[in-house]
Amino acid sequence: MLTNRRYEVIPLGVLRGHAATVNGRPGGISWSEDGPLSLLAFIVADGRITEIIAVIDPAELALMDLPDPV
C-alpha cells in the first residue's frame, strides 16, 4: 500500500506507471484508477540522480497533456 500526501491509501495493485521524457529529462508518470497520480523528472549528473522534481497536485496534473496509461 502507498499513502499519498492527501493521506489516501492506494493499493499498489491499482497503480500503473512508465518511464517518460519530461522536458528533455528522464522521468516517469504514475496513474491510479482515478487518473494521473504523479509526474517525476530526474536531474542526472555524472550518471547519478542528483535531484527529483515531482508534480503531485491533481489540479496541475489535470492541466498537463499527459499520455494515456500503458
Side-chain angles (χ1 to χ4, degrees), residues 5-24:
R5 74 177 206 171
R6 291 171 287 176
Y7 305 106
E8 299 171 80
V9 176
I10 302 168
L12 292 178
V14 298
L15 292 179
R16 294 175 285 171
H18 68 80
T21 301
V22 181
N23 292 333

Side-chain angles (χ1 to χ4, degrees):
M1 297 248 175
L2 172 75
T3 304
N4 64 17
R5 74 177 206 171
R6 291 171 287 176
Y7 305 106
E8 299 171 80
V9 176
I10 302 168
L12 292 178
V14 298
L15 292 179
R16 294 175 285 171
H18 68 80
T21 301
V22 181
N23 292 333
R25 296 189 165 111
I29 305 171
S30 66
W31 292 267
S32 71
E33 293 175 327
D34 299 325
L37 188 61
S38 66
L39 174 70
L40 303 174
F42 305 113
I43 310 295
V44 179
D46 298 323
R48 295 178 179 242
I49 296 172
T50 58
E51 245 181 284
I52 300 173
I53 301 165
V55 178
I56 58 172
D57 180 2
E60 279 189 55
L61 290 167
L63 295 173
M64 296 180 180
D65 184 25
L66 299 175
D68 292 328
V70 175

